[in-house]
Amino acid sequence: MSDFDSALRPESRIVHPPVEEVTGSRPLGVPLHQSHLFAFEDNDAMTTAFGGPDQAFFYNRFGNPTVRSLEKAVAGLEGGAGAIATASGMGAINSVLLALLSSGDHVIAQRSLYGGTFAVLADLARRWGVEVTHVRGDDPAEVRAALRPNTRLLHLETISNPTTRVTDLPGLIGVAKEAGVLSVVDNTFATPLLCRPIEHGADIVVHSATKYLGGHSDVLAGLAVFADAELHRTVWHYAVELGASADPHSAWLTLRGLQTLALRVRRHCETALELAGRLAAHPAVTAVHYPGLPAHPDHELARRLLPQGHGGVLAFDLAGGREAARTFTESVRLASLAPSLGGVHTLVLHPASTSHRQLDDAELAAAGIGPGTVRVAVGIEHPEDLWADLDQALGKL
Ligand code: PLP
């Protein structure tokens, strides 16, 4: 202990415990820096720290070592120049949209977006004078026709929820690029192990890390990854003002989950394909939506865009409509009736009465969601146990 420390009274010493530094070895687990504040020896160094996303740490809203580890890990996986970790997927999406859009700008967005994203765009249109045109996601010509001189952003999702339509990323992004329009892709359903939108020309990739990246239903987090360092800096400044930054403990949990992502995603994909095939042969099921099945309308595109696997989400339609869906979702025993996806547990959901309840019958039909559509977010349990569970629940109809 230094002379300075040993002269302190207990009330002062207790506020300044020694902080042990690791020397001579290195931790294998990523350290959790649960400190929101960092002190300096030198005032000039602190001034420099305010400058951008790659400077020294001083206050968590601007950056934290654990959070930065997550940002670098996911930027690396997506092939981006930098990333921002946020408190939720919506934190990432809002940071990107609010940082880049101004009143009078025009956005082209897929119609089948995650409900939260759809609502933000509707709000931007209603209250902030941002114009929004919705497109299907399978036709570059539709995007070309929607372009205007004030079009600023194209917003897409790799795989749509819940009917698992696969978006023609290269085709649609190509049209945006020619027109100088930025492309944002929500890659939550695919993960960077199945698809890397930046390789198809995307400028920004967003994630709800709450789903596959975290993977254990114990953390809410988001990420925005940027192909270009300047775009990263622009959105980082806004995210800091917005207060969307990730908490270090959430970043730590997400990093811990991320280490097993490859194993989990492989298992999710294999089991989903197996269950989709068995569901398609069941007499109570009229249709199965899974891009790995040859009958899926985007099967050929999925084989090119997602060659490693087609994701862990599938949906199917029950002949008995809404009542059959209720009976089924309340009869599963290994699977749970719950929203969300991407965790180790298998989840079932009736979109028409929950995630998509704001749509009227015509809008549901346009989105390919029937009264008897059930979504399954496949977990990593044994496929035979899962099939036994789905089969017994189908047997209750
Ligand atoms: N994007 C997609 C595709 C989602 O499914 C979700 C949530 O379900 C979000 C974004 C929002 O993420 P979060 O709930 O982490 O804010």
Side-chain angles (χ1 to χ4, degrees):
M1 192 182 297
S2 70
D3 292 346
F4 176 79
D5 287 328
S6 52
L8 293 174
R9 289 163 185 78
E11 290 85 343
S12 301
R13 245 198 249 170
I14 210 163
V15 177
H16 300 269
V19 177
E20 196 62 32
E21 289 193 15
V22 183
T23 52
S25 62
R26 63 189 166 87
L28 274 185
V30 178
L32 169 55
H33 290 273
Q34 189 68 56
S35 175
H36 91 268
L37 199 55
F38 298 79
F40 293 79
E41 306 295 330
D42 168 342
N43 192 61
D44 288 346
M46 186 161 141
T47 306
T48 310
F50 280 78
D54 45 7
Q55 300 296 334
F57 303 105
F58 65 101
Y59 187 71
N60 273 359
R61 192 153 45 76
F62 295 73
N64 169 281
T66 310
V67 175
R68 193 167 294 168
S69 294
L70 173 64
E71 292 169 341
K72 286 186 171 172
V74 178
L77 285 174
E78 287 285 6
I84 301 170
T86 52
S88 67
M90 288 312 297
I93 291 165
N94 271 298
S95 297
V96 168
L97 294 179
L98 298 178
L100 298 178
L101 292 173
S102 306
S103 297
D105 282 344
H106 174 236
V107 177
I108 303 174
Q110 242 172 312
R111 193 166 288 113
S112 58
L113 290 175
Y114 168 64
T117 311
F118 197 92
V120 170
L121 286 172
D123 198 45
L124 283 171
R126 200 172 46 246
R127 300 197 304 132
W128 300 102
V130 171
E131 299 174 295
V132 184
T133 304
H134 288 287
V135 295
R136 278 198 315 276
D138 58 353
D139 184 6
E142 196 189 5
V143 172
R144 199 182 300 281
L147 285 169
R148 298 182 195 168
N150 57 339
T151 306
R152 172 90 170 122
L153 278 186
L154 172 67
H155 195 107
L156 306 171
E157 292 182 1
T158 316
I159 302 174
S160 76
N161 177 37
T163 53
T164 69
R165 294 299 305 260
V166 179
T167 303
D168 178 7
L169 295 183
L172 271 54
I173 292 171
V175 171
K177 259 211 159 21
E178 271 172 34
V181 168
L182 293 171
S183 298
V184 183
V185 177
D186 186 328
N187 201 29
T188 299
F189 274 50
T191 84
L193 295 182
L194 300 182
C195 180
R196 281 176 293 285
I198 289 174
E199 289 175 2
H200 301 292
D203 299 286
I204 302 173
V205 177
V206 290
H207 278 280
S208 169
T210 313
K211 312 297 188 309
Y212 292 103
L213 304 188
H216 295 76
S217 308
D218 54 9
V219 61
L220 195 69
L223 279 131
V225 183
F226 303 86
D228 168 74
E230 211 33 60
L231 205 50
H232 177 208
R233 180 173 291 269
T234 304
V235 178
W236 176 82
H237 276 287
Y238 190 82
V240 164
E241 286 171 17
L242 190 65
S245 318
D247 171 78
H249 188 242
S250 300
W252 184 84
L253 281 169
T254 308
L255 273 163
R256 188 183 150 117
L258 203 58
Q259 288 173 311
T260 56
L261 182 68
L263 300 174
R264 289 185 284 106
V265 165
R266 194 187 315 146
R267 175 80 165 192
H268 287 298
C269 292
E270 286 169 2
T271 308
L273 182 60
E274 180 62 32
L275 295 179
R278 294 194 195 188
L279 283 164
H282 196 284
V285 174
T286 55
V288 178
H289 312 276
Y290 187 66
L293 295 183
H296 188 280
D298 305 319
H299 181 63
E300 275 313 309
L301 173 63
R303 278 160 57 103
R304 277 184 280 125
L305 202 62
L306 311 161
Q308 309 291 324
H310 303 104
V313 175
L314 62 89
F316 61 92
D317 300 338
L318 288 169
R322 209 169 262 262
E323 263 318 300
R326 175 193 283 274
T327 305
F328 175 85
T329 53
E330 292 178 355
S331 300
V332 289
R333 297 180 61 196
L334 178 59
S336 301
L337 172 55
S340 199
L341 61 126
V344 293
H345 312 89
T346 294
L347 310 173
V348 298
L349 172 84
H350 179 235
S353 61
T354 58
S355 57
H356 291 71
R357 70 197 177 290
Q358 71 280 10
L359 304 187
D360 61 29
D361 286 349
E363 288 169 328
L364 284 171
I369 303 168
T373 301
V374 172
R375 186 187 80 175
V376 185
V378 177
I380 63 166
E381 301 94 333
H382 196 288
E384 292 303 336
D385 288 334
L386 282 173
W387 175 247
D389 190 33
L390 301 188
D391 194 38
Q392 67 77 28
L394 288 168
K396 299 271 165 52
L397 303 180

